[in-house]
Amino acid sequence: MTPVNWGILGAAKFAREHMGPAIHAARGARLAGVASRSGDISGFQAFAPDCVGFDSYDALLASPEIDAVYIPLPNHLHVEWAEKALRAGKHVLCEKPIAMSAAEIDPLIALRDETGLLCAEAYMIVHHPQWQRARKIVQSGGIGDLMLVDAVFSYDNSSDTGNIRNKPETGGGGIPDIGVYTFGATRFVTGQEPDALEARITWENGVDVFAHVTADFPSFRYSSVTSMRMHPRQEVTFQGTKGALKLTAPFNPNVFGEAQLHWHADTAQGVPSVTVERWPGVNHYVLQVEAFCRSVQGGPEYPATLEFAKGTQAMIDRVFDAAK
């Protein structure tokens, strides 16, 4: 089958180090072009020597050689360029959060349906087998009735004052950057949406740098912490009446640590047992691109739909409203 030719809007560090190599490595994909206002795409050509440079985003979108685009631009530009790409006839994979409010996603859904093109948020974790496994265990009753989900995702970028995550004008903040994971992962595994929620947020320069969110879901209690001012930590636990699951590198496997799922369960003798499942070296960025390519080539529906992204963004919107 002819590979999907990909273009990237912008030469962002994350695109050079993660998504560009993932597109190049993915089956059914080819990194064909990068639009860089500086004109320097040498970082991409180091691993994809046939990659062509474009001097503007519009020039890349106008190229008939490009089938799909990946958008790693600052958050406040996502909707604008996703819409432009769809109108140019390109499939779109856009970094999270794909929009700054849930209402902004509705026009993208309408444009996706109008064009028949695939448009999705780059929510890579749902493609990783550790999350698919966690979802199966929880929803099949493997830990009994789910009672509590607690999630933590933190890092410290306080010294990087020029980082777009530290700037309100570019849609920065810890919740848009990593709350999308603590919130969305819970929704993905449980299939439930929050009822009431509360939030306590610490702000610096107009962006959230610490957030503690608690919520009541229909059948369990939720608690999460996200922060851009704490020692790096990430962990998610699903605790039920008959067991618990702990994911020790849930969001950045291979970078933060090895992807592991620790399944704590009661045995017939009432003695707790722990089973550890590991996925060394699995690259969820590659799996994401491969799933996207299969979908645009007539395969299974892409699992991270815009509707799913809208549900997570709606929770983010509610968290900010609750904090006010």
Side-chain angles (χ1 to χ4, degrees):
M1 187 174 290
T2 304
V4 176
N5 288 321
W6 285 80
I8 299 178
L9 298 186
K13 179 181 178 182
F14 182 79
R16 290 196 311 272
E17 296 182 355
H18 294 284
M19 280 300 296
I23 292 170
H24 181 67
R27 292 169 293 182
R30 172 177 171 264
L31 181 55
V34 176
S36 171
R37 290 171 176 168
S38 71
D40 182 11
I41 66 164
S42 58
F44 296 90
Q45 291 175 327
F47 57 83
D50 295 333
C51 177
V52 174
F54 294 84
D55 59 9
S56 72
Y57 303 157
D58 288 316
L60 185 147
L61 294 182
S63 172
E65 302 301 318
I66 302 297
D67 305 312
V69 296
Y70 166 65
I71 302 176
L73 300 173
N75 295 344
H76 71 298
L77 298 175
H78 288 173
V79 171
E80 174 188 352
W81 285 99
E83 289 182 346
K84 288 182 177 180
L86 287 169
R87 295 190 188 283
K90 313 302 182 187
H91 301 283
V92 175
L93 182 64
C94 182
E95 261 312 316
K96 50 76 195 162
I98 198 168
M100 299 308 300
S101 71
E104 291 182 339
I105 300 178
D106 288 330
L108 289 178
I109 292 174
L111 195 53
R112 175 203 65 188
D113 294 345
E114 175 189 332
T115 60
L117 297 165
L118 177 56
C119 179
E121 185 177 71
Y123 197 62
M124 73 291 184
I125 68 170
V126 301
H127 304 278
H128 198 289
Q130 68 172 337
W131 283 105
Q132 295 166 1
R133 179 69 170 142
R135 183 182 190 181
K136 182 176 180 179
I137 292 171
V138 170
Q139 294 197 8
S140 66
I143 58 172
D145 296 331
L146 181 62
M147 300 290 290
L148 175 68
V149 176
D150 58 87
V152 176
F153 195 175
S154 64
Y155 59 86
D156 183 3
N157 70 352
S158 56
S159 63
D160 190 5
T161 56
N163 192 297
I164 59 173
R165 295 166 183 82
N166 284 319
K167 296 182 177 182
E169 65 270 22
T170 55
I175 291 174
D177 187 43
I178 54 180
V180 67
Y181 295 125
T182 53
F183 301 168
T186 301
R187 297 179 56 250
F188 175 75
V189 168
T190 67
Q192 297 185 30
E193 304 292 346
D195 293 327
L197 57 79
E198 297 180 350
R200 293 188 177 184
I201 294 179
T202 301
W203 303 85
E204 286 182 16
N205 189 38
V207 298
D208 67 285
V209 297
F210 175 90
H212 181 208
V213 177
T214 57
D216 290 316
F217 280 71
S219 65
F220 64 92
R221 183 72 172 163
Y222 170 85
S223 174
S224 72
V225 170
T226 56
S227 178
M228 304 194 299
R229 298 294 184 268
M230 291 170 60
H231 180 77
R233 179 186 171 205
Q234 51 182 275
E235 183 177 298
V236 181
T237 301
F238 299 85
Q239 188 164 356
T241 54
K242 296 182 179 179
L245 297 181
K246 180 192 293 185
L247 285 78
T248 60
F251 308 121
N252 293 128
N254 303 328
V255 177
F256 183 80
E258 182 184 67
Q260 295 184 9
L261 186 153
H262 296 218
W263 185 357
H264 300 251
D266 293 337
T267 65
Q269 293 76 30
V271 180
S273 68
V274 181
T275 301
V276 179
E277 301 182 25
R278 295 179 169 88
W279 293 269
V282 172
N283 188 317
H284 52 190
Y285 302 114
V286 172
L287 296 178
Q288 174 179 243
V289 174
E290 291 179 345
F292 192 97
C293 291
R294 287 193 298 270
S295 182
V296 302
Q297 292 175 330
E301 181 183 3
Y302 191 69
T305 64
L306 286 179
E307 286 80 1
F308 179 82
K310 181 181 176 181
T312 300
Q313 186 60 51
M315 186 172 174
I316 291 174
D317 294 349
R318 290 181 60 194
V319 165
F320 284 131
D321 288 342
K324 294 175 184 177

